[in-house]
Amino acid sequence: PALEAAHDEFFKLPWLRKITKAEQARQCKKDGVIGMYAHWQPLSPAPRNLDALTQAYQRGLRSFMLTYNRMDNIGVGCTERFDAGLSNYGLEVVKLCNELGMIVDTSHCGHMTTMDACKFSKRPVNANHTCAKALSGVARAKTDDALKAIADTGGVIGLVTVPFFLTKNKQGATIDVMLDHAEYIAELVGWRHVSIGTDWPLQAPTDALQQTMRAEFVEHGFKPDEVDVTDRLNGFDDYRDLRNITRGLVKRGFSDEKIKGILGENALRVFGEVCG
């Protein structure tokens, strides 16, 4: 009851609206408000109970990431020693998501888990916040094969703006590094499968990020030497710099149609195809 009350209060904000359909998102744009749909990434293992997922859908959940970094009941995350892919239960989860109209997401999933999701899902599969492993080499990134598999389902790859995911040369990294990933993935699988998924918004002062997020990251499977929670891209300090992504895409010769797709239309297409 407390969580439901908090949920209700959250959506009483005059500038925020819950959406479960693509047309609702478009209406939010017309009305000048922010539309938000629920996405779940299971920092703790998701319950081994399909009814829980159904109940979450009924409360508004429309995107479900199959695993976080570690192994759980559903499959294997991206930082485990071994990657066995989806479990039998994980296959049931993918099937249920397809039946409900919930997006299957693989952002933190291991390689084989990602490939299994793409193989067994009957609807588009996303990785809504990741990058290209060919350019960064980090465990959180997706191999070319995984990027192609996601695109083959009709899904989108959302690009992060987190320096330590995007490049090994984190010091002084600029927004051009993120745009390199956009260009690489667009050339590999087509611009219709590229979107923006900034990951956490660097929404707090540096000291607060150091005190809270670093320990959380390590606890949930990241290597201590891989994480710098205060590092920011030069040119993308926080969400007020979203326009710089548009400027960068223009500078690199992307057409208006392609830019509109990357900035939102591609992701909205998938949302409509899966959720209605």
Side-chain angles (χ1 to χ4, degrees), residues 74-213:
I74 292 173
V76 181
C78 62
T79 63
E80 282 286 356
R81 291 178 60 225
F82 302 105
D83 188 3
L86 287 173
S87 66
N88 287 336
Y89 176 63
L91 296 180
E92 294 178 11
V93 168
V94 170
K95 181 180 178 181
L96 178 62
C97 287
N98 288 172
E99 292 171 351
L100 291 172
M102 186 185 299
I103 298 169
V104 172
D105 191 85
T106 61
S107 296
H108 281 254
C109 296
H111 177 71
M112 287 308 302
T113 303
T114 300
M115 299 301 283
D116 279 351
C118 294
K119 177 180 178 180
F120 290 101
S121 178
K122 305 301 183 186
R123 294 176 180 252
V125 171
N126 284 351
N128 67 26
H129 59 296
T130 188
C131 54
K133 197 163 191 174
L135 299 187
S136 71
V138 299
R140 273 279 288 107
K142 297 299 182 190
T143 66
D144 284 3
D145 285 345
L147 295 170
K148 290 175 182 176
I150 291 166
D152 285 345
T153 71
V156 293
I157 299 105
L159 295 172
V160 297
T161 56
V162 180
F164 60 82
F165 292 152
L166 291 169
T167 177
K168 294 178 181 177
N169 183 22
K170 298 181 285 292
Q171 298 302 317
T174 73
I175 195 171
D176 280 315
V177 175
M178 180 264 196
L179 294 167
D180 289 342
H181 284 258
E183 204 161 19
Y184 179 87
I185 296 173
E187 290 177 358
L188 182 71
V189 301
W191 63 269
R192 289 181 174 83
H193 303 287
V194 181
S195 64
I196 306 300
T198 57
D199 212 343
W200 85 86
L202 302 168
Q203 76 278 28
T206 295
D207 58 344
L209 291 170
Q210 289 174 329
Q211 292 172 20
T212 59
M213 291 189 67

Side-chain angles (χ1 to χ4, degrees), residues 12-13 20 25 28 50-52 59 67 82 97 114 131 144 174 178 183 191 208 216 219 223 238 244 260 276:
K12 286 180 181 178
L13 294 168
T20 57
C28 287
L50 293 176
D51 288 341
R59 293 176 180 174
T67 74
F82 302 105
C97 287
T114 300
C131 54
D144 284 3
T174 73
M178 180 264 196
E183 204 161 19
W191 63 269
E216 286 290 318
E219 179 182 349
K223 297 177 181 178
D238 58 39
N244 289 341
K260 285 176 65 177

